[in-house]
Amino acid sequence: MADFGRQKWSSETGAWVEDTGEVDSLESLPPPPDPKKRTPGPARPASRGFDSVTMQRFPQVAVALLGAGILAIAILTVLMIHKPGSSTPAFEDLGPGVSNLAGLRGHLVTRWQKSAQYQITFEPLFAMYRPGFSYTVGHPPGPLWVNIRLLDSTGYALCGKQIEFRLAPARANVDLTLLRQPEARLLRASETVTNHSAGTQLQPIAGRTRDIFQNEPGDAGQIGSVYAQGVLPCSEDQYKRFSYWDFSTNFPSTDQQVTLMRAPAIAAARAAAAARAAERQREARSPHYFVEGDTNLRNFDASTATLESGSGQNFTLLKKNEAATANAWAANNAQIHYKCDTLANCMLTRAGDGRTVNARSLH
C-alpha cells in the first residue's frame, strides 16, 4: 500500500516533492539544506555598546561627573562675586567749573554708590595766578569755603554742599583793613552764582559740613592745588536728575590775593615808618644843649616873667606855673646852672633843689 503523505527533496526541481516510493538510483540522496545556514557575506564591523563592566561602573562615573560640575559652578560663582571692579561703579567726569573773579578752576567727578560720592580739585585758572593762590591757601585771612551745587537742566539747584579749606597752622600777620578797601572786597557767594532760571529763587545750600581740603604741592614748594572728597547730601532721585554743576566761593579775588602777598611788606614798611616818627618825636622832646654855665640871680620881674642874673644874662620863663620857683630863687640870690640849645631854649636848675625852670635866653 502506498505511503501517501511522504515527501522527498528533489535536486532537479530544488524543492520538496511527493515520494512515490520509486527509487531512481542507488546513488545516495543529498542531505537537505540547513534552513539556518546562510550564504556568507562580507564581514561587518562589530557594533560598539555598553558591555557588562561598563554598565557596572556607570554609577561611579556619573557621580564623579556630577561632583566636577558642582565644583566648576562653585568656582565660577566665587570668581563672579569677587571679580575686581564688578561691584564698584566708575566715577563720572562732570568737567570743569570756573570762577574768573577768584581765578579758580574746579574739576569735579562723582558716582552713585549707595550715596553721591564726589572728588574735586581746585587750582589757579592761569599760571600767573599761582603765586597768589599758593600764598592765600597757605596764609588765609580767615575761614575760606566753596559751595558745590548740582543743578537740573532748568538751573534749579537740586542739592549742594559747603566745604571748608584747611586752615594753616599759623595765619599771616595781615592788616585786614587792606581787604576792606573798595577795590579789595572779600568775595561773596552771590557774586559768583549765576541764576540760570529767571524768576527762580535758589534754596539755601544744605549739608554744610567741615570737610577739609588737602593741599597738593606744586613747583618750587608752592601749593599747586587743593583736593577734597566726600559725600554730597543728594538723594538717588536728585542725583539721577542733575544736568550740570557749579560752585561759588569766598576765596579772595585775584586783586586781593596780590594785596595779601604784599601785606607783610606793607606792614613792615608801616612799622618802620612809625618807628621813625616816634624817634623824631623823642628827639623833639629831648633838648640838645650846646651852651651851659652858672650864674647868680638878682631879680625876677613878674610883669614880664623875666629873671635877671648878675652876669647880665636874662631869661624869660616859658611856663607860667614856674613863676613862683623863679621868684623864690631871685629873692635868695640863688646860684643856678643853665643849659641852652641852639634855639636858646634853656633849662635852669639849682643845686639841692629838685625843681627846674624852663626859660628862653635873652642874651
Side-chain angles (χ1 to χ4, degrees):
M1 183 173 181
D3 186 7
F4 296 98
R6 296 180 59 184
Q7 293 181 345
K8 66 178 179 179
W9 178 261
S10 174
S11 59
E12 295 178 359
T13 62
W16 292 94
V17 297
E18 293 295 331
D19 185 7
T20 60
E22 298 180 357
V23 179
D24 295 337
S25 64
L26 298 175
E27 296 178 358
S28 62
L29 297 177
D34 187 359
K36 296 183 179 181
K37 185 176 181 179
R38 297 181 180 178
T39 304
R44 291 185 300 174
S47 60
R48 295 182 180 179
F50 291 100
D51 57 14
S52 60
V53 176
T54 304
M55 293 302 294
Q56 292 176 359
R57 294 182 178 178
F58 180 76
Q60 300 176 0
V61 175
V63 171
L65 291 176
L66 180 61
I70 294 175
L71 180 60
I73 294 174
I75 294 175
L76 182 61
T77 303
V78 172
L79 291 178
M80 292 298 293
I81 293 175
H82 297 282
K83 184 178 179 181
S86 60
S87 61
T88 303
F91 278 96
E92 179 183 1
D93 191 345
L94 304 186
V98 173
S99 172
N100 291 313
L101 187 59
L104 292 180
R105 175 172 49 232
H107 196 95
L108 177 66
V109 296
T110 62
R111 69 181 177 188
W112 181 266
Q113 189 179 15
K114 298 182 180 180
S115 60
Q117 300 177 357
Y118 77 93
Q119 294 178 355
I120 193 166
T121 302
F122 286 96
E123 60 184 358
L125 186 58
F126 302 111
M128 64 181 180
Y129 296 154
R130 289 174 183 170
F133 173 83
S134 176
Y135 187 87
T136 303
V137 174
H139 306 80
L144 301 177
W145 47 260
V146 172
N147 270 338
I148 302 174
R149 303 190 311 167
L150 300 185
L151 303 98
D152 63 13
S153 58
T154 66
Y156 182 80
L158 297 171
C159 58
K161 188 172 189 177
Q162 185 174 101
I163 307 171
E164 297 179 358
F165 280 74
R166 184 179 68 183
L167 292 178
R171 297 183 183 179
N173 185 16
V174 178
D175 185 1
L176 296 181
T177 58
L178 297 174
L179 299 180
R180 299 190 184 100
Q181 299 174 4
E183 64 275 10
R185 289 181 297 109
L186 279 176
L187 183 64
R188 294 194 181 98
S190 59
E191 296 175 2
T192 59
V193 175
T194 302
N195 189 354
H196 299 276
S197 178
T200 302
Q201 185 175 2
L202 299 180
Q203 300 297 324
I205 300 298
R208 181 175 181 233
T209 65
R210 295 190 60 83
D211 285 2
I212 304 300
F213 277 107
Q214 177 181 348
N215 298 336
E216 300 290 339
D219 298 334
Q222 294 182 340
I223 298 175
S225 62
V226 289
Y227 167 84
Q229 67 177 6
V231 176
L232 296 172
C234 307
S235 66
E236 186 174 5
D237 178 66
Q238 290 173 331
Y239 184 79
K240 291 180 178 179
R241 289 165 49 202
F242 90 91
S243 178
Y244 64 99
W245 77 286
D246 70 359
F247 75 92
S248 60
T249 179
N250 71 338
F251 199 84
S253 66
T254 53
D255 291 337
Q256 290 175 311
Q257 295 171 31
V258 174
T259 302
L260 288 172
M261 285 193 298
R262 295 175 179 174
I266 294 175
R270 288 182 175 180
R276 289 193 297 271
E279 182 64 24
R280 286 194 296 269
Q281 291 178 359
R282 286 193 297 270
E283 291 177 354
R285 290 193 300 266
S286 301
H288 298 276
Y289 297 104
F290 292 90
V291 178
E292 63 179 307
D294 298 302
T295 186
N296 291 325
L297 296 180
R298 292 173 47 189
N299 183 41
F300 174 69
D301 187 351
S303 61
T304 59
T306 303
L307 275 172
E308 301 176 359
S309 68
S311 59
Q313 187 174 7
N314 299 330
F315 302 93
T316 300
L317 271 61
L318 298 177
K319 298 180 179 181
K320 294 180 179 181
N321 59 355
E322 297 176 350
T325 302
N327 186 46
W329 287 355
N332 295 324
N333 295 325
Q335 184 178 11
I336 61 168
H337 182 79
Y338 58 89
K339 293 181 179 180
C340 303
D341 59 16
T342 54
L343 299 178
N345 296 318
C346 304
M347 184 173 64
L348 311 180
T349 59
R350 180 184 181 186
D353 193 334
R355 295 173 294 180
T356 60
V357 173
N358 292 280
R360 183 182 298 276
S361 176
L362 300 179
H363 178 68

